[in-house]
Amino acid sequence: EYIKENSHDTIEKMTKSYEIINNEVAATMKKAYFNMLCEEVESQNMLPIFDLIKDINNRLLILVPQKNQKSFDSKFDNNKIIDMLTIGDWSEELISIINLMIDTVFVLGAPCDDKEMKEWKNYIMSLTKDNFSNNLPLILIQIQEKIDRIYYLLKELSEKKSN
């Protein structure tokens, strides 16, 4: 009888608990990934950072207008990226690539996010001054999160149109 009367509340509580656990696991995984990237950069293994930059490039290429794709992709030439990362510190070229990623995310993002994006860009660019082994992974992960938001908003828009 108690279960019948309180089933809706019980299901709601279970759903909320599941969401909390899900979010905590996701946060833990992100932190572990960030820590792994930092350790790799500190030990001068730039392969995970290279892979992350290429992943960002590939995800942005899907969103960039077709007429701009070839030009955009050429900025992420493997040899150029390897040369930038081999330096093991901030360089004009690396900061330029980060700037390109941020500007592309800004242009492709939702207009309602513009103010926050401008503040975020200023924050990110301030991180390119020091602490390379910590800040580069942080910047790239945050760029990925901004791309995730664009994909999420596009998915929502697509679902609204199909209804």
Side-chain angles (χ1 to χ4, degrees):
E1 181 115 0
Y2 173 81
I3 292 175
K4 267 187 184 176
E5 291 174 13
N6 296 298
S7 65
H8 181 71
D9 287 344
T10 304
I11 290 171
E12 210 170 280
K13 286 177 184 174
M14 288 172 63
T15 303
K16 284 182 182 175
S17 295
Y18 178 73
E19 285 177 24
I20 290 168
I21 290 170
N22 233 3
N23 290 338
E24 287 176 0
V25 168
T28 301
M29 292 303 292
K30 282 181 186 176
K31 181 72 175 149
Y33 181 60
F34 169 74
N35 288 339
M36 182 274 299
L37 288 174
C38 291
E39 288 171 12
E40 294 298 331
V41 173
E42 283 174 21
S43 68
Q44 298 178 342
N45 176 12
M46 300 305 271
L47 186 59
I49 294 292
F50 174 84
D51 290 341
L52 184 52
I53 290 172
K54 292 305 287 184
D55 186 50
I56 289 170
N57 174 40
N58 292 333
R59 293 182 74 206
L60 288 174
L61 267 176
I62 293 168
L63 300 169
V64 168
Q66 197 160 12
K67 64 180 182 174
N68 301 347
Q69 285 181 348
K70 197 169 190 173
S71 167
F72 184 83
D73 194 34
S74 71
K75 306 234 184 343
F76 291 87
D77 174 73
N78 287 351
N79 292 328
K80 286 182 192 174
I81 294 171
I82 289 167
D83 289 345
M84 282 183 254
L85 294 177
T86 304
I87 295 168
D89 205 351
W90 299 112
S91 66
E92 280 185 41
E93 294 83 10
L94 181 57
I95 293 170
S96 175
I97 284 287
I98 290 169
N99 211 6
L100 174 65
M101 289 187 245
I102 292 169
D103 288 345
T104 304
V105 167
F106 181 81
V107 168
L108 296 171
C112 64
D113 292 338
D114 283 0
K115 184 175 186 273
E116 185 238 327
M117 285 295 292
K118 286 177 185 170
E119 293 169 5
W120 175 71
K121 180 180 179 177
N122 290 335
Y123 165 69
I124 292 297
M125 296 319 287
S126 76
L127 294 176
T128 62
K129 309 278 184 257
D130 58 9
N131 202 357
F132 182 76
S133 62
N134 188 71
N135 288 350
L136 181 59
L138 178 66
I139 289 168
L140 295 176
I141 288 171
Q142 285 196 14
I143 290 170
Q144 281 281 48
E145 289 172 347
K146 296 294 183 190
I147 296 169
D148 289 345
R149 173 152 171 79
I150 293 170
Y151 275 82
Y152 172 77
L153 292 173
L154 287 172
K155 181 178 166 242
E156 272 198 339
L157 187 64
S158 173
E159 287 171 357
K160 282 182 183 175
K161 282 186 176 181
S162 65
N163 288 342

